[in-house]
Amino acid sequence: MLDVQGPSLPTSPRRRRRSAALLACGAAAAATLIGVSPSLAAPVTTVTRAAKADAPEIPAANVKAHLNQLQSIANANSGNRAHGRAGYKASLDYVKSKLDAAGYKTTVQQFTTSGATGYNLVADWPGGDANHVVFAGAHLDSVSAGPGINDNGSGSAGILEVALTVAKSGYKPDKHLRFGWWGAEELGMRGSSYYVNQLPSTERSKIDAYLNFDMIGSPNPGYFVYGYDASLKSLFEDWFAARQIATEVDTEGDGRSDHAPFQQAGIRVGGLFSGADYIKTDEEARNWGGTAGKAFDSCYHRSCDTIANLDDKALGTNSTAIAGAVWKLSGGGSTNPPTGTSFESKTPVAIPDNGPAVESPIAVSGLTGNAPAALKVSVDITHTYRGDLTVDLVGPSGRTYRLKSSSANDSAADVVATYTVDASSETANGTWKLRVQDVAAQDSGTVNSWKLTF
C-alpha cells in the first residue's frame, strides 16, 4: 500500500494435494477399453452443465507457497521486489508462469516512471461474457526497504491462488474473469493508473466491478471492507457475517491503493484490507483477537515485512472471501471439466528419486482429424518438492510439449494443474504420453492421474 500524508490522492509449509476428483468432476464412470490395458479409461463426453457452483475454500498453505517464492526472489535480489529492480521483474515472471501453465491469456504491459521501466501483468480467463468483466487486482511491487510479503505479496498471492483455483476446478463463469498485478503502486499507483488511462472508454464500460486486495495477511489483523459501493460492500459483509466474523468499513487505506484509478474512471470498486500502521483499538481486539494498542502491521514498509510477518488465519480467510466474491459476481457456472471428449489414466506411476523419466500412456481413438489448438491436459502428481520435476506431454508423433520445467524457486509440493497445449499439428487418435522426471535427489512422488480433453 502507498504511504501518503494527508487526504489527497496522488496524481498519477508445503501445500496439501488437491483430490484428483477435481480432475474428474462431472464425468461418467470410466469403462475399460476393449483390448487395451485396464489402466486406460474410455472416452467420456461431458454435455451436462451443472448447477451454479459455490466457491471452494482457498487454503492458506497454498497462498503461502507463492509467498515463499516471493520471499526467495527478494532474498536473491537485494532484499526487495521494488519498481525498477530485478526482484520485481522476477516476481512478475513467477506469477506469469503459473498463469500461463493454467491456461490464462496473459499480457505484460510496460510503462515508464521514475526513470525506470515498470510492468503490469493482466490475465484473462477464456470464456464468459466479454461485455461484463469481473476484475480482481493487487499490486505486486514492494518498497525498496524490504521484501513486501504482506504489503503486498499477500494480496498478489491471494488473487493468484484464486485464479489458479478457477482453472483447477474447471469453473465456467457466466461473466468474463480478469486478474491484474500492478507495478509501481508504492510510487503513487502508477501501474494501475497507466492501465486505466490506456483503456478505451468502451472497454472501461465493460468492467462490472474491480476488486482490490492490498495487505490481507497482517500479523495483528483486522477485517476491513471497502465501503465505496453499497452492493460490493454488502457482498463482503454478508460473507463474513455468515462466518460470524465482524467487519469494519476501511478508512485507513482510503485512496491509497490501486482501486483509486478505477474509481476515478467511474468503475465500481470493492475490496478487503487487514490493516497497516494504524493502531488496533480495544474494541477491535475484542472482535478480532490480537493485541490492542499495537499496529495491525508493525513491519509496514520495513525490512521485517518477511514471510514471518503474516497471520495464516487472516490470509486464508481473506483469500477464501476473494474466491467467494469472484464466484458470486461472475454468476458461477459449472465446475465440470471443459466440455469435450475426455480420456483419462488413473493408474498410479511411481516417480524415481533423481532417476530416469517415467511415462503414463493414454490411447485415444474414435476422434477425427487433428487435436485442437487448445488441448487441455489435466495433471495430478503427488511430490514432496515439485521444483525437481519436469513434466512433458508427448504426442502420437513423438513430439514433446513442455508443461512444466524444473525450478529451484518452486519449493512447494505437488503438481495439480490444467495446462493448455496447441497440439493442432498432431493427429488426435493415437497414443499420448505424460512424461515426468525427477531431476534432483531427496524427494519422491507419484503420478496419480492425468486427463486429455479434446
Side-chain angles (χ1 to χ4, degrees):
M1 176 181 291
L2 173 69
D3 193 4
V4 297
Q5 301 295 324
S8 61
L9 293 176
T11 54
S12 316
R14 308 277 195 187
R15 64 181 178 84
R16 287 177 290 177
R17 178 172 64 85
R18 289 185 179 272
S19 168
L22 287 176
L23 302 176
C25 178
T32 302
L33 289 172
I34 297 176
V36 182
S37 168
S39 66
L40 303 177
V44 176
T45 302
T46 303
V47 296
T48 303
R49 185 174 177 85
K52 299 296 183 182
D54 293 328
E57 189 84 9
I58 306 296
N62 290 21
V63 183
K64 286 193 76 174
H66 303 307
L67 292 173
N68 277 314
Q69 297 305 312
L70 296 182
Q71 178 70 67
S72 295
I73 288 169
N75 292 346
N77 291 279
S78 303
N80 69 70
R81 303 180 301 101
H83 165 73
R85 311 289 182 88
Y88 178 77
K89 185 59 165 57
S91 299
L92 183 138
D93 290 343
Y94 169 77
V95 174
K96 184 177 185 298
S97 69
K98 293 293 183 184
L99 296 164
D100 287 341
Y104 279 83
K105 178 184 178 181
T106 57
T107 303
V108 176
Q109 184 182 54
Q110 295 188 23
F111 60 93
T112 302
T113 189
S114 299
T117 301
Y119 303 91
N120 295 324
L121 173 63
V122 178
D124 287 271
W125 181 240
D129 186 348
N131 291 314
H132 294 278
V133 178
V134 175
F135 201 151
H139 77 87
L140 186 56
D141 63 316
S142 73
V143 293
S144 59
I149 297 304
N150 187 37
D151 184 17
N152 181 40
S154 62
S156 291
I159 66 168
L160 174 58
E161 187 58 28
V162 170
L164 296 179
T165 300
V166 167
K168 292 171 189 175
S169 65
Y171 178 55
K172 297 178 183 177
D174 295 333
K175 296 183 178 181
H176 184 75
L177 290 183
R178 182 174 298 155
F179 297 86
W181 288 262
W182 311 119
E185 187 270 357
E186 298 290 3
L187 301 182
M189 291 88 77
R190 302 296 177 84
S192 55
S193 295
Y194 182 84
Y195 175 84
V196 173
N197 291 339
Q198 293 294 310
L199 204 61
S201 59
T202 53
E203 293 302 311
R204 292 182 189 177
S205 67
K206 295 176 182 179
I207 302 175
D208 286 356
Y210 172 76
L211 306 178
N212 194 64
F213 304 100
D214 189 348
M215 303 177 65
I216 62 169
S218 300
N220 190 28
Y223 291 91
F224 296 98
V225 173
Y226 288 15
Y228 308 107
D229 179 88
S231 63
L232 296 177
K233 171 176 169 284
S234 295
L235 184 154
F236 283 115
E237 287 177 335
D238 292 347
W239 189 93
F240 283 99
R243 290 154 181 80
Q244 299 183 324
I245 299 173
T247 57
E248 288 185 17
V249 173
D250 170 50
T251 57
E252 182 181 2
D254 195 9
R256 295 171 59 184
S257 194
D258 294 298
H259 59 282
F262 288 86
Q263 185 181 22
Q264 291 168 344
I267 296 167
R268 298 167 58 218
V269 300
L272 300 174
F273 176 53
S274 58
D277 52 354
Y278 282 26
I279 302 301
K280 179 176 280 189
T281 67
D282 291 338
E283 182 180 358
E284 289 169 337
R286 285 192 293 270
N287 286 336
W288 298 324
T291 305
K294 181 181 177 182
F296 294 100
D297 183 357
S298 59
C299 286
Y300 172 65
H301 282 190
R302 297 174 59 194
S303 61
C304 57
D305 187 9
T306 66
I307 194 68
N309 188 48
L310 294 168
D311 181 271
D312 286 6
K313 181 178 180 182
L315 187 68
T317 299
N318 282 320
S319 296
T320 302
I322 295 170
V326 167
W327 258 250
K328 182 77 171 179
L329 291 172
S330 60
S334 170
T335 54
N336 290 335
T339 299
T341 303
S342 295
F343 298 78
E344 183 174 11
S345 172
K346 292 186 177 181
T347 297
V349 177
I351 304 169
D353 184 30
N354 194 24
V358 294
E359 293 182 342
S360 174
I362 289 178
V364 174
S365 61
L367 302 181
T368 59
N370 283 9
L375 177 66
K376 299 295 184 182
V377 186
S378 299
V379 177
D380 185 342
I381 298 173
T382 300
H383 197 270
T384 48
Y385 190 91
R386 69 185 183 200
D388 288 354
L389 296 181
T390 62
V391 183
D392 296 302
L393 175 68
V394 182
S397 70
R399 180 179 175 183
T400 299
Y401 303 82
R402 175 55 52 91
L403 305 180
K404 179 195 175 299
S405 298
S406 60
S407 171
N409 291 325
D410 192 4
S411 61
D414 308 338
V415 181
V416 183
T418 297
Y419 302 90
T420 301
V421 174
D422 183 355
S424 56
S425 63
E426 299 277 351
T427 59
N429 292 330
T431 299
W432 298 74
K433 300 175 183 178
L434 189 73
R435 179 181 293 161
V436 182
Q437 184 173 16
D438 184 338
V439 298
Q442 299 182 344
D443 292 276
S444 60
T446 302
V447 178
N448 300 302
S449 65
W450 70 288
K451 177 188 287 189
L452 293 169
T453 302
F454 291 82

